[in-house]
Amino acid sequence: MTLPREVRLVEMSPRDGLQNEAGPLIATDIKTELINRLGDSGLGHIEAASFVSPRWVPQMGDAAEVMAGIRRRPDVRHAALTPNLKGFENALAAGVNEVAVFAAASESFSRHNINCSIADSLARFYPVMEAAREHDIPVRGYVSTVLGCPYEGDIDPQQVARVAGELADMGCHEISLGDTIGTGTPLKAKRMLAAVTQKVRVERLAAHFHDTYGQALANLFAVLEEGVSVIDASVAGLGGCPYAQGASGNVATEDVLYLLDGLGIRTGVNLDSLAATGDWISRQLERPNGSKTGQALGATRQGAADG
Ligand code: HMG
Ligand code: MG
C-alpha cells in the first residue's frame, strides 16, 4: 500500500459550506472572519466565494465584498467559482488567485445546477479559460455527480472520465471529482478513479466528497491508496448543494485532518486551531458542529476547563 506523504487540503466551507445555508443571509463579516481564521490555521488553499447568479444562490451574493474584506496573504490561495465569463470578470476584478469552472457527469444535474446541458456548459468554459490564460489565473475544474446523481442514480465511470478529460484538455490544472450527494462507497470510488486516470493523471485530481451517507472518510482512504493527494473538505462539515436535495456537507476538514495526521501524512494544518474555528462557525450559525473530531476535541477542552 502506498499513501502520499503530503496532502493539500482545499477548504470549501466559505463557498460549498455556506452557499446552501437556509434562513437569513449570512453577514459578510462572519464570512471574512471564517476565511481569515482558516488561513491562520495553516490552510493554504481556500475557496472563498462564488461569482454565480445571486438569484440562483443568494448566500453568495456578496462575493466581491467578501474578497475585499479578507486579509490577503502570500501563503494562501483564495479561489472562487465562476460558471461563465461574467463570473470570471467579476472574480478577476475582486482579485481572486484562482477560479473554478464546474460541470457535471449527469445531464439532469447539469440542467438543474447551471441551466444547460453538459456540452453547452463545457462550450461556455472555453472563453473563461482563454480570459484566465490572458490574466495568468489558474483554473480548477469540477465534475459533479461522479458517484451518483440525485435524478439519474448510478453514473457510468466512463462518462465521468470523458468530462474530466475535456476539462483537463481545455487547460484546467486540477480536476476535482465531486461525490455531490455522498452515495459513493470505496470500491465504487476506486472504479471511478480507475476510469478517470485513463484520461487525467492522478497528480491532477482532487477528491471532493460529501458525507451524506457517512462514507466520505472511507472513500477518501480508498482514493488515497490510489495516489490522490488533494482533498476538498469543509470545516465542521458545513454545507450541501442547493440543486441536490438531501445532500449534506462536504466531509469535515477536522475529520480528514485527524485521519491524515494518524497516517503520518503532512498537511501543514494545525488541528486544534482548525477545530476551534469549526466550533466558532457552528456557534455563529447556531447549528451543531458536524465534525466528529471537532466534537471530541470540544468535549476534551470543556472537560479540561471544568477541571
Ligand atoms: P441562467 O439563468 O441560465 O443565465 O443561469 P443567463 O446567462 O440566462 O443569465 C440570467 C441572468 O443571470 C442575467 O441577469 C445575467 O446577467 C445573470 P438579468 O439580465 O436577468 O438581470 N448572470 C449572472 N449574474 C451574476 N454572476 C454571474 C452571472 N451569470 C449570469 N456569473 C447560471 C446560468 C450559470 C448563471 C446560473 O445557473 C447559476 O448561477 N448557477 C449557479 C449554481 C451554483 O452555484 N450551484 C452551486 C455550486 S456547484 C456545487 O456546489 C458542486 C460542487 O461543490 C462539486 C460537487 O459537490 O459536486 C462544485
Ligand atoms: Mg460540493
Side-chain angles (χ1 to χ4, degrees):
M1 181 175 76
T2 36
L3 291 168
R5 288 168 179 217
E6 205 167 324
V7 157
R8 171 158 47 87
L9 290 171
V10 186
E11 178 59 32
M12 290 290 130
S13 55
R15 196 281 300 171
D16 210 345
L18 299 183
Q19 68 183 7
N20 195 34
E21 194 63 24
L25 293 183
I26 300 157
T28 305
D29 59 359
I30 291 183
K31 296 178 181 175
T32 54
E33 182 165 350
L34 172 63
I35 294 164
N36 291 340
R37 283 174 179 249
L38 293 165
D40 290 342
S41 65
L43 286 156
H45 193 167
I46 302 173
E47 201 162 77
S50 185
F51 290 86
V52 294
S53 160
R55 258 194 253 159
W56 284 65
V57 187
Q59 287 290 10
M60 294 288 108
D62 59 350
E65 290 78 7
V66 169
M67 286 304 301
I70 56 179
R71 204 171 357 102
R72 302 308 293 272
R73 37 192 296 171
D75 56 342
V76 180
R77 195 186 318 176
H78 290 105
L81 289 192
T82 56
N84 50 24
L85 201 51
K86 180 178 176 120
F88 176 80
E89 280 160 2
N90 292 340
L92 182 70
V96 304
N97 304 114
E98 181 185 86
V99 297
V101 294
F102 46 106
S106 134
E107 280 297 344
S108 327
F109 186 82
S110 182
R111 286 181 192 283
H112 279 88
N113 194 36
I114 49 176
N115 205 24
C116 63
S117 67
I118 298 170
D120 286 350
S121 75
L122 294 170
R124 199 181 269 177
F125 298 155
Y126 281 92
V128 176
M129 300 304 303
E130 202 181 307
R133 243 188 315 271
E134 240 169 69
H135 295 277
D136 220 8
I137 304 279
V139 184
R140 195 172 206 237
Y142 284 97
V143 186
S144 283
T145 61
V146 301
L147 293 173
C149 168
Y151 313 105
E152 294 180 17
D154 279 345
I155 294 292
D156 180 0
Q158 294 304 330
Q159 169 67 0
V160 181
R162 267 193 294 278
V163 178
E166 181 156 352
L167 288 171
D169 290 347
M170 72 170 76
C172 291
H173 72 92
E174 182 166 284
I175 311 298
S176 178
L177 300 168
D179 184 9
T180 316
I181 52 168
T183 48
T185 43
L187 288 181
K188 239 174 136 180
K190 280 191 192 244
R191 275 197 289 269
M192 179 276 294
L193 191 67
V196 175
T197 50
Q198 297 297 308
K199 304 260 187 194
V200 186
R201 281 185 299 116
V202 73
E203 293 78 10
R204 288 175 68 187
L205 297 175
H208 177 109
F209 295 164
H210 285 258
D211 202 24
T212 318
Y213 288 83
Q215 301 299 300
L217 278 184
N219 295 340
L220 282 176
F221 189 74
V223 299
L224 280 168
E225 283 187 312
E226 304 301 322
V228 169
S229 61
V230 182
I231 294 176
D232 297 359
S234 176
V235 78
L238 293 182
C241 176
Y243 303 105
Q245 227 184 8
S248 70
N250 294 100
V251 63
T253 317
E254 302 92 311
D255 297 0
V256 177
L257 185 53
Y258 186 84
L259 172 71
L260 297 175
D261 283 351
L263 293 168
I265 297 174
R266 285 191 304 273
T267 60
V269 182
N270 180 287
L271 180 56
D272 288 326
S273 158
L274 186 68
T277 297
D279 272 345
W280 172 81
I281 189 64
S282 301
R283 279 197 308 277
Q284 297 301 315
L285 300 176
E286 296 179 5
R287 52 143 76 204
N289 188 334
S291 162
K292 288 273 197 191
T293 297
Q295 285 171 24
L297 290 174
T300 308
R301 264 199 306 276
Q302 192 57 48
D306 293 346

